[in-house]
């Protein structure tokens, strides 16, 4: 991978460079204004819990149902029945009941 590609992918994860050594080294603290503005704009309080993916779509929230579980049971039954049927046909290949 190229370094520029990795840098571009990680750009969303790394916070913006606000506190430079020049700003932090100031004795009066007036240079920290941009840093204080940045953190004052961030949301406060507890983060909302997000459940995403398969569990969020089918098992939590207002659309919660057991349909995926029923579909899994029916699918396993269908695969098992198909395998059993084919094995039974192999049994009758050269023999009759």
């Amino acid at each position: 991978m190229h370094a520029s590609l990795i840098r571009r992918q990680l750009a969303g994860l790394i916070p913006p460079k606000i506190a430079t050594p020049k700003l932090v080294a100031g004795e009066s603290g007036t240079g920290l204004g941009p840093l204080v503005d940045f953190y004052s704009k961030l949301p406060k309080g507890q983060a909302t819990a997000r459940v995403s993916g398969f569990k969020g779509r089918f098992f939590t929230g207002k659309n919660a149902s057991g349909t995926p579980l029923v579909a899994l049971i029916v699918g396993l039954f269908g695969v098992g029945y198909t395998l059993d049927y084919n094995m039974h046909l192999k049994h009758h290949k050269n023999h009759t009941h």
Side-chain angles (χ1 to χ4, degrees):
M1 256 194 207
H2 298 290
S4 62
L5 180 62
I6 294 172
R7 201 175 303 127
R8 210 174 317 133
Q9 289 175 344
L10 294 176
L13 299 175
I14 300 171
K17 192 172 186 177
I18 294 175
T20 61
K22 179 181 161 190
L23 288 175
V24 176
E27 295 175 11
S28 64
T30 57
L32 294 177
L35 185 63
V36 172
D37 288 340
F38 174 74
Y39 280 107
S40 66
K41 292 176 186 173
L42 291 177
K44 294 164 182 59
Q46 293 290 329
T48 57
R50 267 199 235 163
V51 180
S52 60
F54 192 78
K55 182 180 178 185
R57 185 176 299 148
F58 293 109
F59 292 112
T60 59
K62 58 184 174 184
N63 294 330
S65 70
T67 305
L69 191 60
V70 172
L72 176 68
I73 292 170
V74 169
L76 287 175
F77 176 78
V79 168
Y81 183 80
T82 303
L83 288 173
D84 191 40
Y85 183 75
N86 284 324
M87 291 298 152
H88 190 76
L89 288 179
K90 285 182 182 180
H91 169 72
H92 283 288
K93 187 173 184 178
N94 297 321
H95 309 313
T96 57
H97 264 287

